[in-house]
Amino acid sequence: MGQPSRMRAVENAGVVGLRLLMSHVMESGQRRDASGALVPAHHVERVEVECGGRPVLQARLGPSVSRDPYLQLRFRGAKGERVVVRWVDNRGDTRSDEGVVG
């Protein structure tokens, strides 16, 4: 679904800095279209990040988060480890993207 998440994970002295931009419309369900009808809610509910097979983030988002959510986090890790990002939205759509710590 949609564009892949853009991520950059860089290790420095055993700490990984991860920047993540998720592509999603993040509709709150409160906005009206040009005809005045409510645009149905469509937003990310859960985000999980793993590095080297271990969980480093589990988050719940909601309708108040803006379009294309941006997350930035730091955790212990090493160069070459695989980073996996997964999310589920309120319609049951899922996305999974991965990268490597540089």
Side-chain angles (χ1 to χ4, degrees), residues 7-101:
M7 70 178 91
R8 182 170 184 203
V10 178
E11 182 268 342
N12 185 11
V15 176
V16 175
L18 175 66
R19 294 178 182 180
L20 172 65
L21 181 63
M22 300 183 300
S23 178
H24 198 279
V25 296
M26 299 299 284
E27 282 292 345
S28 68
Q30 297 177 1
R31 188 175 66 84
R32 295 191 181 273
D33 64 15
S35 68
L38 282 175
V39 176
H42 189 198
H43 54 83
V44 173
E45 290 187 325
R46 291 189 323 263
V47 178
E48 297 175 349
V49 178
E50 288 181 2
C51 183
R54 67 187 188 288
V56 295
L57 174 74
Q58 294 179 340
R60 293 194 174 268
L61 304 181
S64 64
V65 176
S66 67
R67 174 182 288 238
D68 299 334
Y70 173 78
L71 299 174
Q72 185 173 339
L73 56 142
R74 293 167 44 109
F75 52 88
R76 296 213 178 268
K79 286 185 181 178
E81 288 185 318
R82 193 175 73 139
V83 176
V84 179
V85 175
R86 293 183 194 93
W87 56 257
V88 178
D89 70 18
N90 67 315
R91 294 184 181 175
D93 295 331
T94 61
R95 174 113 201 146
S96 180
D97 296 297
E98 59 183 73
V100 176
V101 176

